[in-house]
Amino acid sequence: CGILDTGRPGPTLAVRFDIDCVPVTESTEQDHIPQSEGFESTRPGLMHACGHDAHMSTGLALAHWVADHKDELKGRIKFLFQPAEEGVRGAGAMAASGVVDDVDTLIGAHVGTFAKLGTIGLCESGFLASTKLDVHFHGRPSHAGADPEKGRSALMAACAAAMMMQGIPRSGQGTTRIAVGRLNAGEGRNVTPVHADMQLEVRGETGEINQYMVKNVENIVEGVKRAYEVEAEIVKAGEATT
């Protein structure tokens, strides 16, 4: 957080720029502009695939402009460089710190996939509430060849849950989404999988519709847990409502 006080009475404005990356490996092809221009990611498996490096650049450029024009402005300007926008965790933590308690106006933005170069779009609707969930399945090990009946497969339970989640009835009250984005499971080729970890998200046009999706996920996990005789834990990784 950077704060510029003009020294003259006026409102407090906050401008927010989210800056986190995503776990994607950047292309090494020379026709990939970050490669050819020399600003590709320096960390394997991590890159600004969602354009948040542009947010950082915009924030720093605006801070530079404000500093250059300080004598023409009034009040205070806060520059918020927010972590963890992916997974909707960072904003809540920053707000809880009190940094925006005295803010009169807060402006946030994101690079636009539909806006042409040199244009700005004002989005008043179309946002979806979202909940990010991690589900941890715990089974029972056994030798898959000698004693398969003694094991309880966390992997099979997770796969069943993932498929059932795709079949959650859509809500007639508004738009819904569900995405199972990651599933890691198993210990070895001939061992009944003991662990399976799933990352997923649901979305809804309203907070109520989003919670409808969350409740269905919870019901599915509970049913799969009973059917496959495994243990399961759901952890809320992040949430944002409308």
Side-chain angles (χ1 to χ4, degrees):
C1 175
I3 302 174
L4 187 142
D5 193 334
T6 66
R8 286 176 291 278
T12 297
L13 167 70
V15 283
R16 164 267 198 185
F17 309 93
D18 50 290
I19 62 175
D20 52 339
C21 68
V22 291
V24 173
T25 299
E26 186 146 27
S27 171
T28 58
E29 298 297 326
Q30 281 304 306
D31 59 356
H32 178 55
I33 292 177
Q35 284 287 339
S36 60
E37 298 296 329
F39 62 93
E40 74 279 4
S41 173
T42 59
R43 301 187 63 185
L46 299 170
M47 68 171 290
H48 282 291
C50 207
H52 295 185
D53 48 351
H55 297 176
M56 283 186 277
S57 300
T58 303
L60 293 171
L62 179 59
H64 195 297
W65 185 93
V66 168
D68 287 346
H69 295 78
K70 177 181 177 181
D71 294 340
E72 305 169 33
L73 304 172
K74 297 180 180 180
R76 304 167 76 217
I77 301 94
K78 293 187 174 185
F79 299 88
L80 310 180
F81 292 87
Q82 179 203 304
E85 184 263 351
E86 303 289 348
V88 293
R89 299 184 299 274
M94 288 196 76
S97 74
V99 69
V100 294
D101 287 354
D102 61 344
V103 169
D104 299 295
T105 302
L106 192 153
I107 299 175
H110 200 289
V111 289
T113 55
F114 299 106
K116 294 181 179 180
L117 184 64
T119 64
I120 295 175
L122 301 179
C123 303
E124 297 180 352
S125 62
F127 297 103
L128 301 179
S130 180
T131 301
K132 319 299 182 183
L133 300 170
D134 296 336
V135 186
H136 306 288
F137 294 89
H138 308 281
R140 186 189 310 159
S142 70
H143 192 288
D147 300 299
E149 77 284 357
K150 296 180 180 178
R152 297 293 181 268
S153 176
L155 172 56
M156 292 299 101
C159 289
M163 293 302 297
M164 293 174 69
M165 288 173 190
Q166 305 307 310
I168 295 175
R170 305 298 90 172
S171 171
Q173 303 302 311
T175 302
T176 58
R177 297 280 193 277
I178 184 163
V180 178
R182 188 176 180 89
L183 176 58
N184 293 326
E187 283 67 44
R189 188 185 305 275
N190 63 348
V191 179
T192 300
V194 183
H195 302 100
D197 298 307
M198 176 189 295
Q199 294 180 354
L200 67 103
E201 67 170 23
V202 296
R203 299 176 188 250
E205 191 166 331
T206 66
E208 291 75 16
I209 295 172
N210 183 62
Q211 289 306 310
Y212 159 82
M213 297 296 291
V214 171
K215 184 61 178 176
N216 272 274
V217 167
E218 292 173 344
N219 290 342
I220 288 171
V221 172
E222 180 63 27
V224 165
K225 182 174 73 171
R226 292 169 179 261
Y228 284 78
E229 297 182 344
V230 297
E231 296 299 319
E233 176 189 15
I234 301 177
V235 178
K236 184 189 294 184
E239 187 171 65
T241 190
T242 56

